[in-house]
Amino acid sequence: SRSGRIAEGKLDDPLLAEQSFSAAVAQAGDRPELLEALDRLYARLGNWRSLADILERRAAAVPGAAEQAEFYNRLARIQMEQFNEPVRALGSIRQVLERAPEDATAIALLEGLTEQRDLFEETAEILESVYRTSRQPERLVSLLARRVASATDTVSRLEYRRTLAQILEDECKDPTRALDVLVDAMTE
């Protein structure tokens, strides 16, 4: 919208620009350049709810998986940092990983979510799959060790230890550490 560009650029009036671009979207629909302008303006104004909505709409409006993943990563970060909604952020991170299974930003966000006790198992399960697929055995070992430590029942602990020992032996080529894990399992 011409009036939106003028309000944003020449007048430096983000509120007027937002109103102009919103009116243009209402009239013309979710055109990429209009959504991009609203994205920029909502971020500048700190209007996080509206920005979250625009990011979802932008993700739906672009055909490329990489672009969609970028929008969902930004959405996840807002859901975590601005809304304190880690469960919703986890949903957005899943959207990223469906489009870009080895996305470093999404993986880092997931790793951060493992610090939340109520989400640990769910995020650990996703990360385990990511680490296996991307062949990161040392990260997988670290994650499995945390799963052993957090398991509340003996059966789960034994299963995690068995898997941990197998990864140590087969992928890390460290039979000594694998044996130590199995000894710990037998002494439990």
Side-chain angles (χ1 to χ4, degrees):
S1 130
R2 185 168 186 256
S3 61
R5 287 191 304 276
I6 291 170
E8 183 181 12
K10 293 186 178 178
L11 300 177
D12 193 29
D13 187 341
L15 288 173
L16 181 59
E18 183 272 329
Q19 291 171 350
S20 295
F21 282 115
S22 290
V25 168
Q27 187 175 32
D30 283 354
R31 293 187 20 215
E33 67 277 7
L34 298 175
L35 294 178
E36 181 180 355
L38 285 173
D39 178 334
R40 186 176 55 249
L41 289 164
Y42 290 141
R44 182 176 172 192
L45 293 167
N47 186 340
W48 305 116
R49 292 280 172 205
S50 296
L51 179 56
D53 176 60
I54 288 298
L55 290 172
E56 287 187 62
R57 290 164 61 185
R58 287 190 77 188
V62 296
E67 284 180 283
Q68 291 172 353
E70 178 186 327
F71 295 132
Y72 282 116
N73 267 327
R74 288 180 57 208
L75 179 60
R77 191 171 301 282
I78 289 168
Q79 289 165 329
M80 287 171 55
E81 295 172 1
Q82 301 300 323
F83 304 155
N84 194 25
E85 295 178 346
V87 174
R88 288 189 64 204
L90 185 57
S92 296
I93 294 167
R94 284 181 189 271
Q95 293 290 327
V96 173
L97 294 173
E98 285 176 15
R99 289 155 178 81
E102 295 185 22
D103 186 276
T105 301
I107 293 168
L109 290 171
L110 262 181
E111 289 169 341
L113 284 175
T114 62
E115 299 304 317
Q116 300 213 11
R117 190 174 187 84
D118 57 330
L119 291 177
F120 177 76
E121 275 307 310
E122 190 173 358
T123 56
E125 200 170 296
I126 298 166
L127 276 172
E128 186 174 333
S129 174
V130 167
Y131 293 158
R132 285 179 189 276
T133 302
S134 60
R135 300 200 182 280
Q136 298 183 52
E138 286 303 327
R139 284 179 133 177
L140 182 56
V141 164
S142 176
L143 179 67
L144 287 169
R146 287 184 62 200
R147 290 187 92 175
V148 167
S150 71
T152 56
D153 64 281
T154 305
V155 173
S156 295
R157 266 193 308 281
L158 289 173
E159 182 58 30
Y160 293 142
R161 281 189 171 127
R162 186 196 60 75
T163 303
L164 177 56
Q166 186 176 10
I167 299 294
L168 285 166
E169 185 172 3
D170 296 345
E171 295 181 38
C172 296
K173 308 298 183 210
D174 192 342
T176 304
R177 280 173 60 199
L179 183 59
D180 289 344
V181 168
L182 291 174
V183 168
D184 288 344
M186 290 189 306
T187 58
E188 183 173 322

